[in-house]
Amino acid sequence: MRKTPKYKYLFAITDVTVIFISFMLSLFYLRQDKSLTFTEFIDSAGSLLIIFFVLSIIFVFIFQFNHLYRINIILTRAAHLANIVKALYYGALNIVLVSFLIRSSSVVDSKYLLFVFVLFALPLLYVVRAEILRAIYLTLKSNQFKRNVVIVGNGKSRKLLATKLIYENPIGLDIIGFIDDKNIVTQEQLNGIRVLGALNNINQIVKQYDIDEVLIAVDDEEYTHLLEVLDICKGLDVTVTLSSEQFDVVAQKLKTEKYADIPVLDVSPHYNNYITLFLKRSFDFIASIIGLILLSPLFLIIILLIKISSAGPIFYKQVRIGKYGKPFDFYKFRSMKMLKGEDEERRKMMLEFMKTTNNNGNSTKVINDKRVTWIGKILRKTSLDELPQLLNVIKGDMSLVGPRPCLPYEFENYNEWQKRRLQVTPGCTGVWQVWGRSSVSFKDSVILDLYYINNMSPWLDFQLILQTIPTMLFARGGK
């Protein structure tokens, strides 16, 4: 079982307590009978308190996915406040829903519950977390909260990271030793820290030295080797983190944890269980059916405009490559003039783009502009041409969130490490579309997809779906 840092338990238990107290104070303030004392009100609101205790626990998961248990957030007051506000924003939906369910209650007036709760919760959470718990962590970081760490690597990255953690270590990491990723054991030492063994012996080393975290700092420029190291380390029952220039795009596009100002990514497996995959598939199926029903008037308008704009079918069907390399029929609204055979110009552009390592901020939308219809430009700009993919989701060929499905000739030109993006079901939207669209190279888009695969969860999917909506509304879809 993966070792969770002790300080996270302290923060999580405190969060539940503070949020529940905030709910109790809010309910008391909004009580219908103002003559009741606090004790009398608590006695009369028994069933409501159970509901809000459950909701307080749900907030811990919201806090987790809004990074409030990351050590660099915990140690930074400004970042702490910003992430608390963000978490309360995402939790507002739950409060509004509960307010609606209890609005007929004779105990409280729930109309202003969200507003009053935030007034209590925001200052309480900030003071308790950013001041009191932060001070407790700094006091106990070298004993109760100390974490045994080994660094995997054998080059400059390993030395740089170790040096930074030795001399600028406010987070309580104790570097026990190094593990050589090339399976070459040397007598080299750095400030008394020695090589404990080779990568092929990492299981024994982790058990022998009671390791809490494996930190990967590999210099190798080959993605294949780095991903092989990741695969080996992810099989361990400990936290696995990564510091690598090859994954810089993730740190640039997403907020990541930092150790002594060095970005590190949590690459411990999060999704490899049947419950997560079942929840993801269930949500995909239900949400897609609801989406098709609600969007049916918009579908009719788009169909009419496509028929007016140019001759040809309403829907565009194309073979794409899905999970584990399985081909499937991919649906879109047609946004281009019909062409006999394959668009060789687009194929040439795409293969050239796949070889480019730096796009210098240019758009990554690879299309043949001469073929796009006037309504097609609007559909592509707003991503409305993607809506028929809800049918693919219902069929199970696609998910609402995941890596984009590629064309057969693109798949044939993938490097082996790039084919890893096909380990999961492709999606209508994803990390690349929300955080990297039209601003990253092909290689970096694959890296973002691999990051998603490692961190896939229902909550991350929900966040990406919410952030896709403004991308469509404000026409950030590129050409």
Side-chain angles (χ1 to χ4, degrees), residues 7-8 11-12 15 19 59-77 79-88 125 129-130 257:
Y7 71 86
K8 291 192 177 184
F11 274 81
D15 286 338
I19 292 168
F59 260 92
V60 171
F61 294 97
I62 296 174
F63 279 21
Q64 165 69 18
F65 289 105
N66 281 280
H67 319 311
L68 278 162
Y69 300 112
R70 287 182 178 175
I71 198 63
N72 60 302
I73 301 297
I74 288 172
L75 296 178
T76 309
R77 289 184 175 92
H80 214 137
L81 179 60
N83 282 269
I84 288 173
V85 172
K86 184 180 176 183
L88 291 176
L125 283 167
R129 285 180 128 265
E257 194 151 15

Side-chain angles (χ1 to χ4, degrees), residues 33-297:
D33 185 354
K34 299 299 182 183
S35 67
L36 291 176
T37 64
F38 185 76
T39 304
E40 291 171 338
F41 172 75
I42 295 301
D43 288 339
S44 65
S47 59
L48 285 181
L49 295 182
I50 295 173
I51 294 172
F52 284 101
F53 181 72
V54 173
L55 190 55
S56 300
I57 295 174
I58 292 173
F59 260 92
V60 171
F61 294 97
I62 296 174
F63 279 21
Q64 165 69 18
F65 289 105
N66 281 280
H67 319 311
L68 278 162
Y69 300 112
R70 287 182 178 175
I71 198 63
N72 60 302
I73 301 297
I74 288 172
L75 296 178
T76 309
R77 289 184 175 92
H80 214 137
L81 179 60
N83 282 269
I84 288 173
V85 172
K86 184 180 176 183
L88 291 176
Y89 166 77
Y90 280 111
L93 180 63
N94 294 300
I95 299 172
V96 170
L97 178 61
V98 172
S99 299
F100 177 79
L101 293 175
I102 67 170
R103 66 179 180 176
S104 60
S105 170
S106 60
V107 180
V108 296
D109 178 7
S110 63
K111 186 166 50 176
Y112 301 106
L113 178 59
L114 176 60
F115 176 72
V116 175
F117 169 76
V118 172
L119 286 181
F120 281 117
L122 185 57
L124 278 175
L125 283 167
Y126 177 79
V127 171
V128 172
R129 285 180 128 265
E131 300 299 335
I132 299 173
L133 291 185
R134 177 176 170 274
I136 291 173
Y137 180 86
L138 290 172
T139 303
L140 301 178
K141 68 174 184 178
S142 299
N143 36 66
Q144 280 87 347
F145 293 150
K146 184 180 73 172
R147 290 174 58 74
N148 295 334
V149 176
V150 289
I151 299 178
V152 176
N154 71 347
K156 293 181 181 178
S157 296
R158 180 184 79 179
K159 293 177 182 178
L160 173 63
L161 183 59
T163 302
K164 292 278 284 184
L165 291 178
I166 290 169
Y167 294 105
E168 303 174 32
N169 185 9
I171 58 178
L173 296 180
D174 186 11
I175 304 174
I176 303 300
F178 302 119
I179 295 178
D180 196 294
D181 64 299
K182 301 290 188 180
N183 291 319
I184 303 172
V185 181
T186 67
Q187 298 302 312
E188 179 186 359
Q189 292 192 19
L190 178 67
N191 290 85
I193 302 172
R194 62 186 181 87
V195 178
L196 302 176
L199 184 62
N200 54 16
N201 294 318
I202 192 169
N203 277 286
Q204 298 93 305
I205 294 170
V206 165
K207 292 177 182 176
Q208 179 181 349
Y209 293 94
D210 193 25
I211 299 302
D212 298 297
E213 180 174 338
V214 172
L215 181 47
I216 302 170
V218 174
D219 281 335
D220 203 306
E221 295 182 0
E222 289 294 326
Y223 282 95
T224 301
H225 174 66
L226 174 58
L227 293 172
E228 286 173 352
V229 173
L230 276 173
D231 286 342
I232 293 171
C233 293
K234 286 192 298 183
L236 304 169
D237 292 330
V238 296
T239 298
V240 182
T241 48
L242 169 69
S243 173
S244 171
E245 292 183 359
Q246 285 94 322
F247 278 70
D248 272 353
V249 65
V250 179
Q252 293 166 8
K253 298 296 179 181
L254 286 74
K255 292 181 180 179
T256 62
E257 194 151 15
K258 291 184 179 180
Y259 291 172
D261 292 327
I262 296 178
V264 295
L265 306 176
D266 185 350
V267 291
S268 309
H270 294 282
Y271 73 94
N272 211 0
N273 62 76
Y274 292 110
I275 295 176
T276 299
L277 296 176
F278 173 76
L279 290 174
K280 182 177 175 66
R281 177 59 188 152
S282 299
F283 177 78
D284 284 344
F285 186 78
I286 295 170
S288 297
I289 290 177
I290 294 173
L292 283 174
I293 295 170
L294 295 179
L295 294 171
S296 55

